[in-house]
Amino acid sequence: MGECGFHTVMGAPTHWAAALMIGLLIMKSSARKRHLIAIVAEEVGTLGNRQAIQGSTVMNVLAEQYTPMCLRAVILPEEGFPKVISVNSWSTDTGLANTNDIFPDQMANFYGIKLLGSAVQYRPLVDYEIVEGSRVVIPKPSIDTNILDAIAYKLNFTFDIVMPADGEWGVLKDDGHWTGVMGDIEFGRANFSLCLAMMHERTNSLDPTMMYMMEALTFITAKSPPIPPWQKLITPFQLKVWVCVVVSVCGGVLLYHAFYQIQATISSRLLDSHAFMRILASFLSQSICNYLWLSAGRVFLGFWFLFVFLVTTHYKTSLTSTLAVPFIPPPLDTLQQLLGSNLKYGVNQVKGSQHQLFSTSHIPLYQRLWRDMQFYDDENSMHMVVEGTFSYINYRIFLILKMLMHNSNPRRKTDLYVATEEFFPTGSAWFLPKGAPYLKNFNAVMWRCVEAGLINKWLYDLYAVYVKEYQDQKSSQEQEDTPVEKDTRLVVFTLNHLQGAFFFFFLGHGCGLLLLFMELLLAPHTSLP
């Protein structure tokens, strides 16, 4: 355990000030002690690295020596040469006198060594400035870099952050190895990763730290815009209601025409168009000029007027409320709704946990989503979301930041909406090589950051920084064109509100001209009643 820790963090040089526990030695005489010191000094002096200690015959000698006299340890002190010192004593009367730490934490001090961390830019967790022609980046304020600064200060090391060679988070290949950030850690190109989603497949290959932030996948869409004003005339009723009304009018026209034709003494032949116009007039609160005096006709008209009264009353009240309070279609909140909508959807083209989830899942819903999944970068994805043609699937913490940036003007409501449904709940963690002895040291500092509430504080601070940065990047023209909320307590109707009425006006004229043309063509000699 001690040798492994020294090799991973300290490196091999023996002149570094590091206490290396090799074993427990029970010794009988000082002659044996001097013999062991000579062996260690000779082999370390010859090889000058950790292999001298690992392959030293001292290991075998220590394993053979066991007598209950005193407890000792072989270390490498600052002087640069090995020696044996007493750390504790034991006797049959008092037992072990535990006055010193037999197994000191050798990862408590990294002695200024430089470590490499691998990460993909992912605000607000990881943010950095790319250096052209280099994988090494310049860290910028973010949650993970703040945590890393605290760990580096506590454990006394420096660090560089590098981008993965392929630019990916990392997915599992068919040969059992990883790409991206995961591959950097697996193949020793970096000592640790920054934020990665906790997944079972990843824990099989690398050791994760504690999860310092819980998050889940969801999706973002553009808020549904208000319906066009001309559609407000038909939105009070559903399509099925309109179909029933049309069928009822057609049936009423036929019955009215039949009853009227029976009463031949009232007038001459009744045209079909006249029967239609008289039935339709009842919907517009107009009287019928020629009534039916037969009992059957009167019963028909009585119930017809009652039907018209109920339908028109419901329509008028619904239309009034629609005009007073604009109707906005409800946003999409579930994956089932997203799948049934006409929106395209996708995830980030940088392969990571989302790609791993949808491509390998056996859940039917995820498999159906995967078949039509599209892949774009963050910028293009959000641009299509704002246009209202795309839904972007990502982690909630990231999507909320994007929504706040588009909602940077506090006087304007955002045009984006983050769904309430969450799926694939997980957490952010760092991943280290299997068996890394400094895992518990990283966890200790990370837990202190979580316990002190620093993660949430940094998150809200970064939200403000990113929103301010977004505002500064906007041109003055864009800021002037940003719509603001207006006082809607007093509504003055404009042509935009009444375009539906004019639409039906021209539609009615067109239908009237068409019917006139048909009557002149089909019955040019028909006498009017």
Side-chain angles (χ1 to χ4, degrees):
M1 175 65 76
E3 183 276 329
C4 178
F6 181 79
H7 165 58
T8 304
V9 180
M10 306 301 180
T14 61
H15 59 276
W16 287 352
L20 174 60
M21 177 68 71
I22 293 183
L24 302 178
L25 177 60
I26 309 301
M27 302 196 339
K28 295 182 179 180
S29 64
S30 59
R32 189 59 175 167
K33 180 193 307 184
R34 289 193 298 271
H35 175 65
L36 292 178
I37 293 175
I39 295 176
V40 174
E42 179 181 357
E43 295 185 356
V44 173
T46 302
L47 299 179
N49 54 31
R50 70 179 182 85
Q51 284 79 8
I53 303 299
Q54 185 177 17
S56 173
T57 55
V58 175
M59 300 299 294
N60 297 326
V61 174
L62 292 177
E64 297 172 356
Q65 303 298 318
Y66 184 82
T67 52
M69 298 299 296
C70 61
L71 186 65
R72 299 183 180 275
V74 180
I75 67 167
L76 296 178
E78 291 185 354
E79 289 80 357
F81 59 89
K83 68 178 181 179
V84 181
I85 64 172
S86 175
V87 293
N88 274 301
S89 61
W90 180 88
S91 69
T92 56
D93 297 330
T94 62
L96 181 65
N98 189 18
T99 57
N100 297 313
D101 189 0
I102 305 176
F103 304 104
D105 184 5
Q106 300 184 32
M107 299 296 105
N109 193 334
F110 284 58
Y111 295 94
I113 193 174
K114 177 175 288 188
L115 302 182
L116 290 181
S118 181
V120 174
Q121 191 170 28
Y122 181 70
R123 285 182 166 186
L125 296 180
V126 177
D127 191 18
Y128 52 68
E129 181 180 343
I130 299 176
V131 179
E132 186 176 357
S134 174
R135 288 182 57 202
V136 180
V137 298
I138 302 175
K140 298 173 66 176
S142 60
I143 293 178
D144 279 43
T145 52
N146 289 345
I147 296 176
L148 184 55
D149 285 336
I151 296 176
Y153 175 81
K154 177 64 177 179
L155 301 182
N156 187 23
F157 66 83
T158 60
F159 63 87
D160 279 335
I161 298 178
V162 297
M163 299 183 297
D166 54 11
E168 297 181 357
W169 294 100
V171 294
L172 189 62
K173 299 188 295 184
D174 294 336
D175 60 2
H177 295 291
W178 291 84
T179 63
V181 175
M182 290 289 295
D184 282 352
I185 312 304
E186 181 184 12
F187 295 105
R189 295 189 292 266
N191 300 102
F192 59 89
S193 78
L194 297 186
C195 69
L196 286 175
M198 184 74 73
M199 299 185 70
H200 175 70
E201 296 88 343
R202 289 174 173 173
T203 58
N204 290 335
S205 302
L206 300 177
D207 285 341
T209 64
M210 60 167 289
M211 292 187 292
Y212 56 92
M213 177 174 290
M214 302 302 297
E215 52 184 340
L217 287 176
T218 185
F219 59 91
I220 188 172
T221 57
K223 279 189 175 181
S224 301
I227 60 175
W230 68 267
Q231 293 185 5
K232 293 181 179 180
L233 292 177
I234 60 177
T235 52
F237 288 164
Q238 292 183 344
L239 178 60
K240 293 181 179 179
V241 177
W242 282 116
V243 172
C244 292
V245 171
V246 172
V247 172
S248 300
V249 170
C250 294
V253 171
L254 295 177
L255 288 176
Y256 177 76
H257 183 266
F259 282 121
Y260 201 99
Q261 291 299 99
I262 293 175
Q263 302 175 155
T265 58
I266 297 179
S267 179
S268 60
R269 180 176 177 271
L270 179 67
L271 291 178
D272 296 340
S273 60
H274 288 179
F276 172 78
M277 293 302 298
R278 291 174 184 177
I279 288 296
L280 184 62
S282 60
F283 278 95
L284 304 177
S285 301
Q286 301 296 318
S287 62
I288 297 179
C289 56
N290 298 100
Y291 287 98
L292 303 173
W293 62 53
L294 296 179
S295 298
R298 292 181 178 182
V299 171
F300 162 72
L301 285 181
F303 280 96
W304 176 258
F305 287 143
L306 181 61
F307 165 76
V308 169
F309 172 76
L310 293 176
V311 171
T312 55
T313 300
H314 281 84
Y315 178 80
K316 291 176 182 178
T317 54
S318 180
L319 179 62
T320 302
S321 62
T322 302
L323 294 176
V325 181
F327 172 74
I328 300 178
L332 303 178
D333 270 320
T334 66
L335 288 178
Q336 286 286 6
Q337 295 175 353
L338 176 61
L339 195 59
S341 69
N342 58 354
L343 291 179
K344 299 178 181 179
Y345 52 85
V347 297
N348 196 297
Q349 64 183 10
V350 179
K351 295 181 179 180
S353 58
Q354 305 156 35
H355 187 281
Q356 186 77 23
L357 169 68
F358 288 105
S359 62
T360 61
S361 177
H362 298 290
I363 300 177
L365 177 59
Y366 291 172
Q367 292 176 344
R368 292 170 59 191
L369 289 168
W370 175 251
R371 285 196 292 267
D372 297 324
M373 192 74 69
Q374 300 184 10
F375 306 93
Y376 303 97
D377 58 18
D378 291 335
E379 183 176 356
N380 289 329
S381 296
M382 293 307 303
H383 178 72
M384 291 187 293
V385 168
V386 173
E387 291 181 345
T389 61
F390 191 74
S391 176
Y392 190 32
I393 301 174
N394 211 315
Y395 289 100
R396 176 172 293 276
I397 184 176
F398 174 81
L399 297 181
I400 289 179
L401 173 61
K402 290 298 183 181
M403 184 181 68
L404 290 175
M405 292 174 64
H406 284 279
N407 188 29
S408 57
N409 190 337
R411 300 179 60 192
R412 177 174 60 90
K413 291 184 178 180
T414 178
D415 54 355
L416 300 181
Y417 178 79
V418 178
T420 57
E421 182 183 61
E422 294 182 344
F423 57 98
F424 186 58
T426 182
S428 295
W430 299 1
F431 281 80
L432 284 62
K434 274 290 185 181
Y438 47 92
L439 174 61
K440 66 175 184 178
N441 303 86
F442 275 43
N443 278 336
V445 182
M446 193 174 291
W447 171 246
R448 292 185 180 181
C449 294
V450 175
E451 193 176 32
L454 293 177
I455 304 298
N456 289 333
K457 179 185 183 303
W458 290 334
L459 177 62
Y460 294 128
D461 290 346
L462 289 169
Y463 276 162
V465 170
Y466 295 149
V467 169
K468 179 63 167 58
E469 178 183 303
Y470 177 76
Q471 290 176 332
D472 293 341
Q473 291 176 351
K474 294 171 64 177
S475 64
S476 58
Q477 182 63 35
E478 289 176 332
Q479 294 177 355
E480 293 175 359
D481 293 342
T482 301
V484 297
E485 290 185 350
K486 298 181 179 180
D487 188 359
T488 58
R489 289 175 294 180
L490 179 62
V491 178
V492 179
F493 285 97
T494 64
L495 185 61
N496 185 52
H497 293 90
L498 298 176
Q499 60 176 280
F502 288 98
F503 174 80
F504 277 96
F505 173 76
F506 291 112
L507 178 63
H509 277 63
C511 293
L513 292 176
L514 178 62
L515 291 175
L516 177 62
F517 176 76
M518 293 178 61
E519 288 183 349
L520 294 176
L521 181 64
L522 299 178
H525 304 294
T526 302
S527 60
L528 297 176

